[in-house]
Amino acid sequence: MSKVPVSFLIPVKNEMANLPRCLESITWADEVWVVDSQSTDDTVALAEAAGARVVQFRYNGSWPKKRNWALENLSFKNEWIFLIDADETLPPEAEEELRAIVTTPGDCVAYKVDRRFWFLGQWLNHAYRPNWVLRFFRRGRARYAQLTDAAISHADHEIHEPMLVDGKIGRLRSEMAHYAFPSIESFVEKHNVYSNWEAHVTLEEELHPPGRDFGWRQRLKRWSRHMPCRPLLRFLFVYVWQCGFLDGRAGYYFARLHAVYEFLSVAKTYELRVKQNESSRLGH
């Protein structure tokens, strides 16, 4: 059967442990772009061996970051683009679902896909479910919003920015697998960076409220940033509301780690406020 006329975009840096699994799940794709950030392992060699087109991205400390840069600068041969991370995979049934969409397109210009997490040797079937992310869209109809222009250490890519879509959004039946946290250490490392971003976004929104509406999820997130006891509420949301307790010990640890992430976001926001007040007091 012919390849599915979809261009896949995979942003990477030192992903030799994850990339082969991701590429294996999309061998039916007509085109695969791997956007690398000067990897020092065998990421590039593995991508090229699999037939992917590799391009280097060099972060200048500002926007656009890696995904938006790729969407703006790469010469995609297909009308539809699927953005997938190296630690994610698509199931076999996604091939025919995407083929049907691109060959007989309806009125949707973008689609969200649900993800489930592999954590501590098991699938989380309740914690962080559902986890809809917008990844499949027509070329030129979607991009990431800029919520802060702060240079986040160790992050040349978009973190949790919402996507701006020009048109109707649908949902895929296929479900992505997300192998984001092979260890507790990796969770802590990633969320230490993510909490830096959260702190900058929170403070920036306090000083300069966004001029546009990014949807109910972002409104809810902005509202939740003003609530007391955020780490506890984050734990209860994942462990109780989402029934993370049904995932056993892995669900409990996952919820506790997200509570720590929430605490880091709160503490780092306060730290930024202190630094800003000190700078204002000194007239800088």
Side-chain angles (χ1 to χ4, degrees):
M1 186 175 290
S2 62
K3 297 280 189 177
V4 180
V6 171
S7 294
F8 275 79
L9 171 61
I10 312 177
V12 298
K13 182 175 182 179
N14 294 332
E15 288 284 4
M16 62 177 292
N18 289 313
L19 187 59
R21 178 179 56 210
C22 175
L23 292 171
E24 179 63 27
S25 77
I26 56 171
T27 55
W28 39 264
D30 177 55
E31 180 181 54
V32 177
W33 284 89
V34 171
V35 184
D36 184 48
S37 296
Q38 298 80 59
S39 290
T40 56
D41 63 5
D42 291 334
T43 294
V44 171
L46 290 170
E48 291 177 339
R53 305 180 67 177
V54 180
V55 64
Q56 290 295 325
F57 170 70
R58 287 174 172 79
Y59 183 48
N60 63 9
S62 183
W63 274 68
K65 290 195 174 183
K66 187 186 291 185
R67 293 169 180 166
N68 266 4
W69 176 88
L71 293 175
E72 294 169 4
N73 289 279
L74 299 186
S75 300
F76 298 104
K77 64 181 290 189
N78 297 297
E79 178 69 16
W80 286 85
I81 299 170
F82 198 114
L83 202 160
I84 188 170
D85 288 337
D87 58 9
E88 297 169 338
T89 63
L90 280 173
E93 58 267 25
E95 176 181 358
E96 290 311 311
E97 183 176 13
L98 298 191
R99 186 190 301 275
I101 290 173
V102 301
T103 54
T104 56
D107 56 353
C108 291
V109 302
Y111 289 83
K112 292 183 178 182
V113 59
D114 194 13
R115 299 184 298 183
R116 64 171 176 166
F117 290 77
W118 178 262
F119 184 68
L120 292 181
Q122 68 177 71
W123 290 112
L124 297 180
N125 294 315
H126 303 277
Y128 254 52
R129 297 296 310 278
N131 187 244
W132 292 98
V133 289
L134 198 151
R135 295 295 187 80
F136 186 44
F137 46 87
R138 283 184 179 272
R139 188 175 67 242
R141 304 296 290 271
R143 71 185 190 282
Y144 285 92
Q146 180 180 353
L147 300 185
T148 177
D149 59 1
I152 308 301
S153 177
H154 304 299
D156 67 351
H157 57 280
E158 295 82 356
I159 296 179
H160 293 147
E161 287 89 346
M163 287 202 85
L164 305 174
V165 178
D166 178 22
K168 186 177 178 180
I169 300 172
R171 289 186 172 185
L172 297 178
R173 295 187 307 274
S174 302
E175 179 184 85
M176 276 202 306
H178 198 193
Y179 301 89
F181 313 118
S183 65
I184 300 296
E185 180 183 13
S186 67
F187 184 102
V188 172
E189 289 177 349
K190 288 183 178 181
H191 284 81
N192 186 41
V193 175
Y194 297 169
S195 57
N196 292 337
W197 179 86
E198 290 280 0
H200 281 284
V201 169
T202 301
L203 191 61
E204 192 154 320
E205 288 183 347
E206 290 176 0
L207 298 173
H208 309 287
R212 65 174 299 166
D213 184 10
F214 295 117
W216 69 269
R217 288 183 181 276
Q218 288 299 312
R219 292 197 298 271
L220 179 62
K221 195 163 189 176
R222 288 198 301 271
W223 175 75
S224 69
R225 289 187 178 119
H226 300 285
M227 296 184 68
C229 307
R230 278 171 48 190
L232 174 60
L233 293 175
R234 184 66 169 263
F235 170 78
L236 293 175
F237 176 75
V238 178
Y239 194 63
V240 179
W241 180 260
Q242 293 186 316
C243 298
F245 61 88
L246 294 178
D247 290 315
R249 183 172 293 188
Y252 174 74
Y253 288 161
F254 200 69
R256 285 297 301 268
L257 285 167
H258 275 89
V260 172
Y261 166 48
E262 198 72 27
F263 173 76
L264 287 173
S265 299
V266 172
K268 289 179 179 181
T269 301
Y270 178 75
E271 180 185 39
L272 288 178
R273 287 197 194 99
V274 169
K275 290 181 178 179
Q276 184 182 66
N277 290 338
E278 288 179 348
S279 179
S280 298
R281 181 170 53 82
L282 295 174
H284 292 168

